[in-house]
Amino acid sequence: MENYCPECGKELVWNNGHYFCESCEKAYVKQAFCNVCGAELEKLRACGAVNYFCNSCNELKSKSSASYVFEEQKTVSE
């Protein structure tokens, strides 16, 4: 699955634990949302598999049934 920048539409690259748009010079995190209720999903990883859990619906969701949104990664200022 290819991932595209929500600002300019160019393909994002995976870089040090986040997605990065070389054109916009912005880092993004990929958030998954429930396709039924719209709540943010909790990511579950086990034995190399990735699934999601919806706390609102109280159901396990597959990654293919989730809706994804790229949100700009916030930097922590000290």
Side-chain angles (χ1 to χ4, degrees), residues 49-73:
V50 175
N51 283 300
Y52 294 93
F53 186 77
C54 178
N55 288 307
S56 182
C57 295
N58 201 30
E59 292 180 347
L60 188 64
K61 304 286 183 173
S62 70
K63 64 181 177 182
S64 63
S65 70
S67 300
Y68 297 97
V69 173
F70 285 96
E71 296 177 353
E72 190 173 346
Q73 187 173 19

Side-chain angles (χ1 to χ4, degrees), residues 30-61:
K30 190 176 189 179
Q31 299 291 342
F33 293 89
C34 179
N35 61 339
V36 175
C37 71
E40 188 171 345
L41 298 174
E42 180 181 345
K43 192 176 206 176
L44 305 173
R45 294 183 196 179
C47 301
V50 175
N51 283 300
Y52 294 93
F53 186 77
C54 178
N55 288 307
S56 182
C57 295
N58 201 30
E59 292 180 347
L60 188 64
K61 304 286 183 173

